[in-house]
Amino acid sequence: METLLSLSFDYLSSYDASKIRKGLRQVEGLLAQICLSNSQSSAIDRRRSVIPAGTPPAQAKELGALKDDPAFREFFKLQEGFEWNDGQNDLLIVSTLDLIQGILLLHPPSRSLFAREIYMNLLLDLLDPSNCPAIQSSTLLTLVVTLLDHPLNTRTFETLDGLLTVTSLFKMRATSREVKLKLIEFLYFYLMPEAPPSTTMTSVSAPATAVLQRSPSKIGGEAMSRSVNGAGKETAEYGEGIRTTEEKQGLLGRYLNNVEDLVDDLRDNAPFGGTVYDKDSNPLQAIDDIELSALLPHFLSLLQQAKPTSQLKIVDLGCGTGRNTVKVLCVPGVQRVVGLDASEKMLAIAKERCEECMGALGADRRNVDFVLEVYDVLDDDVAASLSDSARGADAIVSTLVLEHLPLDAFFAAVSEILRPGGLVMVTNMHPDMGAKSQAGFVDPETGEKIRPVSYVHKIEDVVSEARRRGLELVGQVKEKEVKVSDLEDGGVGDRGRKWIGVRTWFGMVLRKAKPVIELSRDRQEV
């Protein structure tokens, strides 16, 4: 009896209509046996799940007689023990997902498990609209961890209609705003180009579904049955190699509009850092390079005036792949350069760049000491997480970093790193560009544009927060508006055409105030 009821419940919990009908018929047969059989039936008869053909109808039982029927007692006991989800299961699922994220981050080889459809399907099933927002958000984060640096897992995700699952959840009216933001952030991550796998990967040959409905793990007589409308091209499309952003844009475009805007925003603003986009004709980075050719020498001349010595220590805060760290290494008078960034991968690229730069320097400059360290400005305790090698810096350079951070966190780190009287050079995306460049997806239900978290800082707010942290503006803020000439001979490239007439960049130099005692000593020396 218990086994048959469990099987019936399995059928009833399926998404397949034929299985649900089968489960209902089994329960109907059980109820018929309970209600129509009499207490004098043999034990064998009472165990039967259906009434044999040709058996005359048994006399109906009185209600009071049901308590003596073993089958009814077993059925009632199962009903009493049936546990509905009261919230405790949700907490257990979220906690389990958190543990899975940690395990996969600590042991990346374990991510290969999710190249198997059965395991990837478990995650996709958790994105079901019936689950609570906390489960959906945790599942999206777990998906990011499973797909990270594993293109084969991404192919499995695509094969199982993962894009359809994610975009369908986004389009639903009942989906919370918090989950929709997480979905957009996930799609940003998905659209990033993929790095070649470090080991030889086995291709996936599962065919793609031909209908706009993902086949959950619960469906089908076989564990992973699917609707198939020919293999050939679709199988090759989903099962081979790695994909570029353009290829994934085409796949995502089947389910969502304005994917092109999202890709443009991804390239222009590099929300996941410069690992890929340093080499992707990013117009803002091109403008930054052009403007730094004048701002950086001005900044260094101010630094030499403030401290005319050959023992300068400069920190590149948010150094990324070392795009500007190598420029600082080449500056005469700099003895120590410290690059700080939250990404170990970008620091690895920066290390290669810096070592190549050092090899090209003259013998008199090869004794410059450079250090690259992991440092997250958003740590709860920025002072405790900062190493001694970065403290007491004479200067800080920080280019195109501020847009990714809240102002208070950024300037708290600057104040902790910089010595009194030290200088900091900051460049950033102009708020005029930020107001136009943030792409997202329009919610089909509300018409609202959903965007991921980012920061568009007004210049006056930057100066105000810096002053609150004891930093004063030196000179004027420099702003850059894109002109036609910048595209033709200025190195910005054709992708900057849509920014003609828009201020896209600003830069400034700030000085950390000295304590009153030091100011008095300086005046006496003068």
Side-chain angles (χ1 to χ4, degrees), residues 263-283:
V263 172
D264 286 343
D265 186 50
L266 186 66
R267 286 170 170 162
D268 290 346
N269 299 300
F272 295 100
T275 308
V276 174
Y277 301 105
D278 272 358
K279 303 177 181 179
D280 196 35
S281 304
N282 186 324

Side-chain angles (χ1 to χ4, degrees), residues 77-111:
K77 184 172 66 175
L78 283 173
Q79 293 298 305
E80 278 249 309
F82 191 79
E83 293 184 6
W84 294 93
N85 188 351
D86 59 356
Q88 291 298 318
N89 290 346
D90 290 352
L91 294 176
L92 288 173
I93 292 172
V94 171
S95 297
T96 303
L97 289 171
D98 289 343
L99 287 172
I100 292 173
Q101 293 170 30
I103 291 169
L104 297 182
L105 289 171
L106 290 171
H107 190 254
S110 295
R111 296 174 194 163

